[in-house]
Every structure is written in structure tokens, then in C-alpha cells.
Amino acid sequence: MNLIRKNLRFTLKAIAIFSLLMQTACVKDHFDFDKVSKTVDYSPQVAAALAHTKLTARDIIRDYDDDELFEETADGFLYLMYDERVYSVRADQFISLPDQNNFPTMNQYNKTTYDVAPVVSGYHEFPEVPVLYDFIVDNNEQLDSVVFDALDIEITVNSSFHVEGILNLTFPAFQKNGQAFTSVVYPDNSGNYTYNLTTHLEDYRLIFDANRVLVNFNLKLIDGTVASGEELSINIKMKNMDFQSIYGYVGQHAINIPKDTVHIDIFDKAFNGQVYFHDPSLTITMTNFLGLPISIAFDSLYTYSNIIGDFNGYRYPGSNPLDINRPSNEGESANTQEYFNVQDFPELRQIVAESPKYVFFDVNGIVNPNGYVASPPNFVNDSSRFNVNMELKLPLEGNAVYSFVDTVALDIESNYEDIAKYFVEAEFRTVFDCFMPTNAYAQVIFTDSLYIPIDTLYKTTQIGERLINSAVLNNEGRAITPVRTITDIVFGNGPQYEHDINNLERVKYAVIIATVQTNLQNQVGQAFPLVKFYSDNYIEVKFGLKGQGRYQEPLD
Amino acid sequence: MKRLIYFTLLAIFSQVLLAQQNNTMYFMQTLPQNKYLNPSYQNECKLHVGGAAIPVTGQVFFPIYMNYGNNGFAFKDLIQYNGDMDSLILPGFKGYDWDALQNKLREVNYITMETHINWLTVGYKYKDWYFGIDVNDKVEARTSFNKDLITFIHEGNGNTFLNEVANLGDLGITATAYTEYALSASKKISDKLTVGMSAKLLFGKLNIWTEKSIIDVETVNSDNYPIRVNADMVVHTSQPFFEVTDMYYDYVGDSMVFESESYEPDFNAVYNNYKNFGLGVDLGAQYQFNDKIKLYASLIDLGYIKWKTNVQTFTMDGEYIWDGYNFQPALTEDEELITEHNDSLKHQIISIYEPEMQQSDYVSHLTPKAYLGGTYQFNDKIRTGLLLRGSFFQHAFHPSITLSGNFRLTNWFESTVSYSMINNSYTNVGIGFSAKAKWFQFFMMTDNVLGFIWPQATRNVNFRMGINLIFGCNKQVSKTLIN
């Protein structure tokens, strides 16, 4: 037992000594956690894609406009179409029917005119009196018939008869569903009878007799006759006439066409440059739903360009004045089209080259320019319109040097302290995979609140510094191989960097100036004046960031 | 005496995370415990009994085996002492030498920890046979990570890993606690050949197993730094502490949500859980080549456990390329479209990896080890040995070599000194001894005694101790010595 105890003591002591060796200074330093460093110092380098998208020509243009601007041919060749309705007028905006307040008073019911009235079954019945009233018009209209949406007929009857009667008024040519409009009045025997009634009518057709309206009057007296000096008179008025359609001749009316514009918004932000479209065209389409002849006189064609900063006027290249076709039948329309290309309107290239933001005409029109023509008669409907559309067609074949500028508000100041503290270096990368026949240059100028430049990025004025390099083109100017361009901008924390983050504290604005230039060389370096855009063209835009941050702070 | 024992145990346990595979024990012929490394071993004594279950001895000299291994770095490589600053520097703190750490790291770095408690060991020799019964509790844990992970943390993805794949996989934890009941038998087939086998019933208690861990991250430099992340992971758990009841992406909170319930574990129930059943086997052989040379081979810990209680399996598989936010919808200025696009993006990122959770049984395997060695007997008292060891885990073979000198200067004391090349570490000097008095045999050993002296510099430390009651061996030992 002593032996065991001896060995055990020896062994335990040996182990304890080994363990205590740890407590030597050398070992102790490695395990003295009171000496743990408390200042974090961490400087990772991080690289990550930030954003990307793939933009076709359609996407790029839609960025400026919600309209469907593009059309393409079967092989995908793109046209830019600006189609704008510059004028539209409805018939009831220039044709109206005046109130008929001056129909003469019908006052033939007295003893002088009808002294001996026939007696029928105890009634003294006057003979039917037909009266034709002249329908007064303002513009020499020759009306055959009018269908009214609505009108009011006002009938006033005054009677000094001392006998009761029954008065029937019939408008035989004023019908609805084959029934003529009639009105019955019952004069009393008071000797001072007055009757006034306004009837609102809808959907009646009035057939004119050479601009006259026929009314038949029938009067019966009950158990008595008329004394000398007594009279019954009738007044009729037609008011508030709202026509549905008019047939006949509606007279001459001026159409006041206000200046309206075609907004070419791809040029909104243009400030410099020239765009050459090889084969632009302009089409003016006038659509006439009115069954009457119209003549249009174009004064001038005007454009407004941001680049020029002014209006430019051009002569109208087509027939002037222009007679507009009219439809043959009601419910139809007739088009009159004026098409201009660079052959018959050479200035068109110049107009487009000015990057016009607006295109518009000065136009006057007149209906029935030759006055009354018996045949064919006019017909107008209250919803019939006369429309003028202007369509600018820009086939995307040509060349361009085109610049635009934009200003974006920035506020780095609020985050500046953190950026300067934790930021060592950051490389901002742009990647453009271009399958378009265009190169692009750009500058981004950071300015202070007074637009004084602080730093400038992308000084891409040299060919080798393009932000976007055109796709390789074939001999027809079509992109065949995409080209990638990578541009890195390095921001650093210190004056040794070209772009020192410390300078950016005062930045309030970023002014972006970009120039797009069509490729002027094909794949073998030959000069290449014209490029073409197709629907399969795209630019894939990617942004990435590689940065080194530094966190160096004591822990609490 | 008690204070000494207490102090000693405290000192040992405070260093217990610095140990290795106990290769030193392999050629200690007087120890019955070496049958754990080669079941063909036959102890010289007729009978031995040991383990924590044995009254008094089992508690005084608690039979335990602890092991720590790190194939990459030592403590001082991770937490560095800077003499000029007189400071301990943690990673990411001022003065830290990342290069020093990275130079030490292996491609895939493993940290392994094992603890075996021997509750009972019995051996009995009958003619050419040697029978054994053993009960052990074993806890084995291993965590691993790729060197790229440290580089990635240190540098970010914007330096070394531009246009290079950062392998952040190999990341995982595998930990198993189980009880092993072993019945072993060894037989001398001939004068030269002895073979043995140990059949084991295994009862799993706790497990977490990272079956698959592939995480590749690649940042492309020739573009706008798009990042490709490929992940393929399978993790199994069988534990009573918590249960993930649901797993989904919260679009409002913009995060992955794991709903779980925690449980107050009943350790008695855990320990007495016999539902996770497994089988294992150890195989071994010895061959007396000639009078001087003896050859050894063994294959241990072949086996599996089928986990059935509190099981959950988490899987994720997919590849996502982040090439930046697609801002095309933003150009439309259509708020509804933009919102829909953003929601779709979040959903896409999550759904592409198809995270899933299942509650189904699974099978995990033990970590098999192979030993191949030989001894050269200089004389009755001195032998030298060479041992090649390899373990298999995470689809790789992990070898080590140990040279040993075994000294049996008296019939009551055997000692050994070893030198090992383990886990790419070449400063492993092991010592061990067994001392016998009457029926008591006390033993203690380590593969790397330097780890106790310079723990900050060591990558491998292990320790084994215990006491056996041995009977019927004095005569035989004397005979051997006389021979």
C-alpha cells in the first residue's frame, strides 16, 4: 500500500508541476486576458454588384415617354413615330341653330276674317288655317331637315272671346316616330283668356319647306259665336335647339384651328449636337366625319429647339389651301393625307437635325368654301368631327452627335462624417455591354450650392476613354457583336487620390453631361456614315463597387 | 492528499482541450485498455477489472480519456501576444497579425474533442482466449472550417477572392454522445498470430451532424463584381433541448425566421434514452514476425447509430448569382410594379436555396480509425515502435505517425516515450506510464507532454488515466522477465 501511495504521490506531483509550468511568465502572457486589446481595427475589402439592367432602344425611349413610339419592320428595323392629334373639332362647335323668337302672331280668328262660321253638331268650327313660318338662319343655311336632340316649343294663346273653344295646333312636318307634334288649347269664355305653355321635346325630326315650318290651326267654338271686336291670337317660339343632325346646307363657317404641337420629347434635354436622320417623313392626316366640304389653309410650319433656343419657321410644302375630302354617307369618314419626305420637303432633315422639341402649324379652315351647292347636300351630326393628325416618322437610320445635360440634387453632407471616418477607398465601376451602334461620353461634375465645380468624374473626352463603346457593325451599319466597356472611378480618403472623398462634403449637385455619337466606323475601320437601329439592339448597364472600409475604434 | 488530487484534477481539466489520439498507449503491453485500440491485445494478467463503477478506485482515479486536436493552429496563433504592446490581440483588433494565423492554417481545419468515460472494463483470460466486457460513455465533437473562411473574414471578398472561388464550405459541427456496451474476444490463432474483435451495442444520446457543407462564393472581377453563392447543406440533429417548429421567410421583417420551442432537458431521461440504437465493431490482429519484430493492425469504430428521438434535418441546396439590383422596373416609376419586383427578388433569393426541415430518422456513422504498426524488441526491457494511424471523416483520410520507445525496467513499472507527427504538428512528445502494486495498476499518459508546458503553442494534447485491479499476472510477468 505504501508503494502505491508513493507512486501516486510522485505521479500527481509530476502532473501538478507540468501544469504549474503554465504559470511561468511566458505562458502567463498568453493567457492573461486582462491584457486583451480593446481597439478594433478591421479593414475588409468588399466587392459587390450594385445594380444592373438591360435596356433596349424601346426601353430607353420609353424612359422619356409613355407612348408606344416604336414601330418596326419585319426584320426589326425601328421607326420612331410621333403621332399627335393637333386639332379636333365637333360640328356643334361651329354650327348652331338660332332661337326662333320672331314667328309672326297668328291672329286670324275674329269676326272680320271668319264672320260666318259653319256649324257642325252645335259647334261653330272655323276652317283649318295653315301657316308657314320662316325659320331664320344666320349663315344662309338651306335646311332640308333637322333632327333635334332637344328643343323647347313655347305656345302663347290670348283670347277675348266670350265663348269657350277648342284650339288644335298641328306641326305636320315635325314628327317623332311618324307622329306629328300637336298641342290642344281650351280657351274659356271670360273674354280675357291667356294661355302659355312651353313643351320640351326630344328626338323630333323637323322637315323644312324651303326653310319654313308649317303649322296647321283648328278652332271650334262651343255653343256660341264670336262678337265683333273679339279676337284669339297665337304666338309660337322655338328655343334651345340642340341638333342631332342637320341635312341640307349648313352655311359657311370658319374653323379656328388653335396652334397645337407635336412634342418630340427625346429632344427635351438636348443642349448641343446634331442628329441626322437619313429618311424622315412627315404625314398630316385630316379625317373628316362631317358631310360637308372643308378647305384648310396652312400658314407656316414651326419648330422649337432647345439647342437653338428659338422658333424656326418653314414654308408649308404641300397644296395650300387644301380641299379636304368629305364622306359620301352619314357615319362614314374621309381621309385627306399630305405626306412629305426629304425629296419633296428637303428642309425636313434640317428640321430634325435641330433636335426640335416641338413641331407645330398655323392653320385656318372654312366649311363650304364655295358657298351653297345643291348637291350633294351637307349632312352633319352633332358628334361628327374633323380631326387633324400630324405624324413625324423617324426611321432610325442616320448618324448623330447628340448631347444632353441633367442636374441631380445630392446631399452628401449629412452622411459625410461617417463616410470620411470609415471609408478608405472605393472603386465605382460601370460596365456597359453595348449592342447598339453608338458610342457615349460623359462627365459628372459635382458642384457646390453655387454650381462651382468641386470634382469631375469621367473625363471621357478621348476615344480611348469612352464610357460606352459601340457594338461592332456590319457593312449595313447594323450591330453584330456587343462590345464591353468597363470604367473604374476610384475615390479615396486623402489628397493623394484624384477623387478625394474629403472634397465631397460640400457637394449639392451632380451635373451630368453626356454625348452620344453613332459609330462612324465599321468592323474593318472604314468610315461609316449611317447606322441602323434594330429591335434587338440593347445596352446592358451594370454598376459595381469595390471598396475598402476601416473600422478602428476602442470598445467601451 | 485530497487537496493534491483536487488540484491535480483541476489543473488537468483546465487544460483538457489540448490533447490528441493517445497513440502512445498502443504499444503499452501491460495496459488492458490498449484493447480499445486493438482488440487482439491480450493482457498478461488472468483478470482485470476497472472503471468508474468500481467502488473507491473508480472514483479516486476517475478513468477518463480526453483528447483535443487541431490540425491548423495553436492558441497563440489565434489569440496573439504582442510583446511590444504587451497585449493579447484578438482577431480584428489592433495589432493582429492575420498573416501569422493564415500561414498556420491548413486547407481544411479541424478541431476535434473527445471525452471517454470508462464505467466498466473487465477482462478475463482463458487458455488462448481473452474475453472482455466494457461500458463506456463517449462524447466526440468535431468542428471544421476552410482556410478560405478566415481569409474571407479578414480580407472580405474584394481581394484574394476576386475571380477566385472562396470555399466557405467544410463548415460544420459534428458532435455525438453515446453509450457503448462492448463484448470483446481475442484468440491466439497460432504462436505468431492473434486476432480479436469487439462487438458493440451503441445507444445514442445526443447528436448534431453536418452531413454536407458546401458553400462556394465567387466574385467576378471582369464584370461589375457579381457574386455567385452556391450552397448545399444538410444538417441533422437529435437533441432534447429545442425543436424548430417552423422555418419560413418573413417578408415584412425581411429575414429568415426559425420558430422554435425550448425544453428543459431531463438529463436522466436523456441518459436513459435507449431508442437511438446502433452497432459497432472493432477488429484487430497481431503478428509475431520474428523474435524481434511484431506487427499490429487494427480497425476500430466501424459502426453506426440510427437516430430516432427528437430528430430534425435541415437542408438547403441552390445557387444564386447576385448581379445587382435590376432597376428596370424603377425606370417605369410604377410603384406597384417596383414593389412587386422587390418582393419577388426577396422570395427568389430564399426560394432558390429551397430551405427545408424534416423530422425523419437518420443514420450517422462513427469515425473509423485504422492503425498499422510494428515493434522492434531490442531486449527484454526495451522496445521501439512505429505506428501509423489514420482516421476517416468528412470524406478525407487524416493520418498521423508515432515513434515510441517502451521501457519495462521493472515488473511493476512500464513507461513509454513517444514522438508523433499529428495534425501537421511536429512537436508532440508523449509520455506514459503504468505502475503496478499488488492488484492495482495505475496508468497515465499523453501524446504531447509539451502541450502541458506550452499550451499556447500546442495543437494536440490528450490525456488518459485510470486504475485497474489486476489478478493473476505476477507469475506470468516474472516469467517473461526471466525469459
Side-chain angles (χ1 to χ4, degrees):
Chain A
M1 201 62 196
N2 283 339
L3 185 60
I4 294 171
R5 179 164 290 189
K6 256 185 189 176
N7 283 326
L8 192 56
R9 278 179 181 279
F10 168 79
T11 308
L12 293 174
K13 281 177 181 173
I15 294 167
I17 288 166
F18 280 139
S19 299
L20 287 170
L21 280 170
M22 278 186 56
Q23 308 304 316
T24 60
C26 175
V27 174
K28 195 178 173 185
D29 286 338
H30 286 274
F31 295 96
D32 186 354
F33 286 93
D34 290 337
K35 292 181 178 176
V36 168
S37 167
K38 290 187 171 55
T39 302
V40 175
D41 185 2
Y42 186 47
S43 306
Q45 277 192 299
V46 178
L50 295 179
H52 76 98
T53 198
K54 190 173 184 177
L55 301 170
T56 63
R58 287 176 182 273
D59 295 324
I60 293 168
I61 299 300
R62 275 182 200 157
D63 185 29
Y64 299 100
D65 197 306
D66 292 333
D67 296 333
E68 294 290 333
L69 294 176
F70 278 107
E71 289 188 7
E72 62 182 83
T73 60
D75 66 344
F77 178 63
L78 292 174
Y79 293 80
L80 201 54
M81 301 288 287
Y82 281 95
D83 189 352
E84 193 84 25
R85 175 158 297 171
V86 295
Y87 179 66
S88 179
V89 64
R90 218 170 49 224
D92 61 357
Q93 290 176 292
F94 62 91
I95 298 172
S96 61
L97 296 173
D99 287 351
Q100 302 298 312
N101 295 323
N102 298 311
F103 284 168
T105 302
M106 191 289 194
N107 51 6
Q108 297 175 38
Y109 289 121
N110 53 53
K111 194 171 179 60
T112 307
T113 309
Y114 297 107
D115 185 26
V116 180
V119 176
V120 179
S121 304
Y123 294 101
H124 290 267
E125 183 168 356
F126 291 90
E128 183 178 78
V129 181
V131 177
L132 279 170
Y133 292 102
D134 288 330
F135 194 91
I136 307 303
V137 292
D138 297 333
N139 289 287
N140 301 317
E141 286 90 341
Q142 303 279 327
L143 302 175
D144 293 340
S145 67
V146 175
V147 176
F148 292 95
D149 272 336
L151 84 163
D152 296 330
I153 291 186
E154 185 179 303
I155 298 172
T156 304
V157 177
N158 290 301
S159 172
S160 56
F161 291 178
H162 288 84
V163 59
E164 294 178 354
I166 302 171
L167 174 65
N168 274 292
L169 293 85
T170 304
F171 294 68
F174 192 43
Q175 297 183 350
K176 180 178 180 180
N177 301 325
Q179 298 293 315
F181 171 69
T182 61
S183 186
V184 182
V185 181
Y186 300 94
D188 61 17
N189 56 5
S190 62
N192 60 352
Y193 172 77
T194 297
Y195 170 83
N196 192 302
L197 175 69
T198 299
T199 306
H200 182 74
L201 302 175
E202 292 180 354
D203 301 326
Y204 273 78
R205 173 186 284 271
L206 178 59
I207 298 170
F208 291 89
D209 179 359
N211 270 16
R212 291 179 300 177
V213 180
L214 173 65
V215 182
N216 291 327
F217 298 90
N218 279 290
L219 177 63
K220 290 187 284 189
L221 301 179
I222 304 168
D223 295 331
T225 187
V226 178
S228 293
E230 294 178 344
E231 184 181 76
L232 184 144
S233 64
I234 304 154
N235 265 305
I236 297 174
K237 293 178 181 176
M238 299 176 75
K239 298 166 112 176
N240 304 321
M241 285 175 281
D242 182 9
F243 71 86
Q244 196 177 92
S245 53
I246 300 176
Y247 304 87
Y249 169 68
V250 298
Q252 281 190 331
H253 296 271
I255 300 177
N256 182 24
I257 299 179
K259 287 175 185 169
D260 205 347
T261 59
V262 177
H263 182 190
I264 316 293
D265 39 20
I266 58 167
F267 299 126
D268 274 4
K269 293 177 180 175
F271 79 99
N272 195 7
Q274 189 169 25
V275 179
Y276 172 81
F277 286 94
H278 186 57
D279 191 19
S281 64
L282 181 68
T283 304
I284 300 171
T285 303
M286 286 141 289
T287 306
N288 186 6
F289 290 89
L290 305 172
L292 44 79
I294 300 173
S295 177
I296 295 292
F298 292 90
D299 187 2
S300 287
L301 182 148
Y302 293 95
T303 63
Y304 177 82
S305 165
N306 277 357
I307 294 172
I308 297 170
D310 203 353
F311 294 92
N312 258 348
Y314 297 88
R315 67 171 181 85
Y316 179 72
S319 308
N320 205 4
L322 177 67
D323 289 332
I324 308 299
N325 297 329
R326 53 167 291 181
S328 304
N329 301 301
E330 197 176 349
E332 295 177 350
S333 66
N335 280 347
T336 306
Q337 205 163 59
E338 290 275 279
Y339 171 79
F340 310 110
N341 58 22
V342 292
Q343 279 72 46
D344 41 41
F345 188 19
E347 294 95 330
L348 197 53
R349 275 196 188 129
Q350 176 62 28
I351 290 171
V352 176
E354 289 169 359
S355 305
K357 186 176 177 182
Y358 300 107
V359 177
F360 56 96
F361 288 100
D362 220 357
V363 185
N364 292 303
I366 186 169
V367 301
N368 288 318
N370 299 320
Y372 176 71
V373 177
S375 181
N378 295 167
F379 54 84
V380 295
N381 197 291
D382 62 343
S383 60
S384 299
R385 286 185 170 277
F386 172 62
N387 299 328
V388 179
N389 279 39
M390 190 155 60
E391 178 188 280
L392 183 63
K393 183 176 177 181
L394 303 173
L396 293 184
E397 178 186 14
N399 57 49
V401 178
Y402 175 62
S403 300
F404 60 90
V405 64
D406 203 355
T407 302
V408 178
L410 287 179
D411 184 7
I412 296 176
E413 190 176 2
S414 55
N415 298 314
Y416 174 75
E417 202 169 301
D418 283 344
I419 293 172
K421 187 175 180 182
Y422 299 120
F423 176 89
V424 177
E425 183 180 294
E427 172 201 289
F428 184 71
R429 168 169 289 187
T430 55
V431 179
F432 289 96
D433 290 321
C434 180
F435 193 58
M436 283 193 177
T438 51
N439 302 306
Y441 310 84
Q443 275 191 316
V444 178
I445 303 169
F446 292 125
T447 74
D448 62 13
S449 58
L450 301 173
Y451 292 94
I452 296 170
I454 295 172
D455 196 359
T456 302
L457 311 181
Y458 303 121
K459 297 172 183 172
T460 55
T461 53
Q462 303 300 315
I463 289 175
E465 297 175 349
R466 286 177 188 144
L467 199 60
I468 302 173
N469 278 291
S470 161
V472 177
L473 309 181
N474 66 10
N475 287 331
E476 294 173 353
R478 181 173 186 172
I480 52 173
T481 307
V483 170
R484 168 168 290 191
T485 311
I486 297 178
T487 308
D488 294 331
I489 295 286
V490 178
F491 287 93
N493 196 341
Q496 70 273 26
Y497 289 96
E498 183 183 358
H499 304 291
D500 184 357
I501 186 70
N502 297 297
N503 293 333
L504 300 183
E505 185 179 3
R506 292 174 293 120
V507 168
K508 293 293 180 189
Y509 300 102
V511 180
I512 302 163
I513 304 169
T515 300
V516 177
Q517 183 180 37
T518 51
N519 195 1
L520 300 178
Q521 289 185 329
N522 66 3
Q523 71 267 42
V524 291
Q526 294 168 328
F528 212 77
L530 301 176
V531 299
K532 290 181 177 177
F533 286 83
Y534 287 80
S535 57
D536 62 352
N537 287 166
Y538 66 85
I539 293 181
E540 191 158 9
V541 188
K542 301 175 180 179
F543 301 109
L545 184 71
K546 185 175 80 172
Q548 181 168 15
R550 181 163 196 173
Y551 185 84
Q552 191 174 58
E553 284 198 5
L555 290 180
D556 292 333
Chain B
M1 184 66 183
K2 278 184 181 174
R3 288 178 63 188
L4 180 60
I5 292 169
Y6 175 78
F7 177 75
T8 305
L9 285 173
L10 192 67
I12 291 165
F13 277 89
S14 66
Q15 308 306 323
V16 79
L17 292 181
L18 308 169
Q20 232 283 339
Q21 288 92 341
N22 219 173
N23 292 355
T24 304
M25 185 173 76
Y26 202 89
F27 297 128
M28 289 184 71
Q29 289 186 321
T30 58
L31 272 186
Q33 276 74 13
N34 57 18
K35 66 181 174 181
Y36 297 148
L37 305 181
N38 188 336
S40 69
Y41 272 116
Q42 295 193 352
N43 196 258
E44 329 172 308
C45 302
K46 183 80 174 172
L47 173 68
H48 85 268
V49 177
I54 303 302
V56 183
T57 58
Q59 291 82 57
V60 173
F61 298 102
F62 196 72
I64 194 165
Y65 162 67
M66 289 185 167
N67 177 28
Y68 165 84
N70 184 328
N71 74 333
F73 57 91
F75 180 83
K76 70 181 178 64
D77 301 320
L78 179 66
I79 299 177
Q80 300 167 351
Y81 175 72
N82 185 314
D84 296 335
M85 297 167 66
D86 191 24
S87 286
L88 275 182
I89 315 292
L90 300 173
F93 281 73
K94 191 174 181 182
Y96 194 78
D97 187 351
W98 284 95
D99 291 340
L101 174 64
Q102 284 176 309
N103 289 339
K104 296 287 183 182
L105 293 176
R106 310 298 300 177
E107 196 63 33
V108 181
N109 299 272
Y110 302 97
I111 300 171
T112 57
M113 287 177 275
E114 293 169 281
T115 301
H116 298 176
I117 297 172
N118 178 219
W119 293 107
L120 179 67
T121 177
V122 178
Y124 179 71
K125 191 170 189 177
Y126 177 72
K127 295 184 178 176
D128 291 335
W129 290 84
Y130 195 87
F131 299 101
I133 296 172
D134 292 90
V135 180
N136 288 295
D137 272 343
K138 294 186 174 181
V139 179
E140 298 183 347
R142 180 176 63 247
T143 185
S144 61
F145 62 90
N146 197 287
K147 181 181 183 180
D148 285 357
L149 177 66
I150 301 301
T151 309
F152 196 86
I153 291 170
H154 169 216
E155 295 181 355
N157 67 327
N159 192 349
T160 302
F161 294 120
L162 283 179
N163 275 357
E164 293 287 335
V165 175
N167 181 0
L168 309 185
D170 304 313
L171 179 69
I173 295 174
T174 295
T176 304
Y178 63 98
T179 302
E180 172 188 283
Y181 298 87
L183 186 63
S184 61
S186 167
K187 185 176 191 310
K188 284 184 178 174
I189 303 296
S190 66
D191 290 343
K192 292 190 171 184
L193 179 65
T194 305
V195 297
M197 185 181 87
S198 177
K200 301 187 278 192
L201 301 179
L202 310 175
F203 297 96
K205 310 303 179 188
L206 304 168
N207 178 251
I208 177 169
W209 175 32
T210 305
E211 182 183 358
K212 191 189 283 186
S213 174
I214 297 171
I215 305 172
D216 294 337
V217 178
E218 183 179 16
T219 307
V220 180
N221 190 34
S222 56
D223 208 325
N224 66 327
Y225 308 117
I227 300 171
R228 180 184 66 82
V229 180
N230 174 46
D232 186 0
M233 296 196 74
V234 179
V235 178
H236 307 275
T237 65
S238 172
Q239 44 77 29
F241 306 114
F242 67 90
E243 180 188 6
V244 178
T245 54
D246 199 3
M247 189 172 75
Y248 60 88
Y249 189 78
D250 174 18
Y251 291 99
V252 178
D254 199 14
S255 60
M256 196 75 200
V257 174
F258 294 86
E259 286 186 354
S260 63
E261 283 189 34
S262 298
Y263 303 108
E264 197 66 44
D266 178 351
F267 286 101
N268 281 333
V270 172
Y271 193 75
N272 293 317
N273 178 8
Y274 289 92
K275 292 177 182 172
N276 303 314
F277 177 70
L279 292 172
V281 66
D282 298 342
L283 302 170
Q286 305 172 52
Y287 184 74
Q288 189 72 48
F289 186 72
N290 58 33
D291 289 346
K292 301 287 187 185
I293 297 173
K294 195 170 186 179
L295 303 175
Y296 303 82
S298 58
L299 193 57
I300 66 170
D301 285 339
L302 297 169
Y304 72 94
I305 297 173
K306 185 169 186 179
W307 299 90
K308 294 180 172 180
T309 56
N310 306 314
V311 289
Q312 291 197 298
T313 296
F314 305 90
T315 59
M316 184 169 78
D317 185 12
E319 181 176 283
Y320 183 74
I321 298 174
W322 167 254
D323 55 353
Y325 176 76
N326 187 344
F327 59 91
Q328 194 161 31
L331 299 177
T332 65
E333 298 180 1
D334 180 340
E335 288 298 327
E336 195 175 333
L337 180 65
I338 293 167
T339 304
E340 195 175 312
H341 170 66
N342 293 345
D343 289 347
S344 154
L345 185 66
K346 290 177 193 171
H347 181 71
Q348 185 187 13
I349 292 172
I350 294 302
S351 64
I352 213 160
Y353 291 106
E354 298 177 342
E356 284 183 6
M357 180 188 67
Q358 294 178 342
Q359 292 184 321
S360 53
D361 301 350
Y362 65 92
V363 172
S364 72
H365 296 273
L366 304 183
T367 302
K369 295 114 188 163
Y371 294 85
L372 192 62
T375 55
Y376 183 85
Q377 191 85 34
F378 285 102
N379 55 44
D380 291 343
K381 297 179 178 178
I382 300 174
R383 276 187 307 146
T384 186
L386 172 66
L387 179 66
L388 307 176
R389 179 191 187 273
S391 58
F392 303 88
F393 56 86
Q394 288 190 216
H395 313 291
F397 178 69
H398 305 272
S400 63
I401 300 175
T402 299
L403 285 168
S404 67
N406 295 75
F407 310 98
R408 192 164 179 184
L409 303 177
T410 72
N411 69 339
W412 60 270
F413 188 80
E414 182 188 13
S415 62
T416 182
V417 177
S418 68
Y419 170 78
S420 298
M421 291 180 281
I422 304 171
N423 285 339
N424 311 297
S425 168
Y426 307 102
T427 54
N428 302 287
V429 177
I431 59 171
F433 72 89
S434 71
K436 183 165 72 72
K438 299 286 183 183
W439 305 298
F440 299 97
Q441 182 191 40
F442 174 73
F443 61 92
M444 186 181 284
M445 72 206 62
T446 176
D447 281 339
N448 186 15
V449 70
L450 301 178
F452 294 94
I453 301 171
W454 296 290
Q456 76 277 11
T458 193
R459 300 214 304 265
N460 312 288
V461 177
N462 64 13
F463 176 81
R464 185 187 287 274
M465 65 173 281
I467 192 164
N468 297 311
L469 300 175
I470 53 177
F471 306 97
C473 45
N474 283 344
K475 191 177 172 184
Q476 210 168 17
V477 170
S478 303
K479 193 176 169 184
T480 305
L481 287 170
I482 291 163
N483 288 339

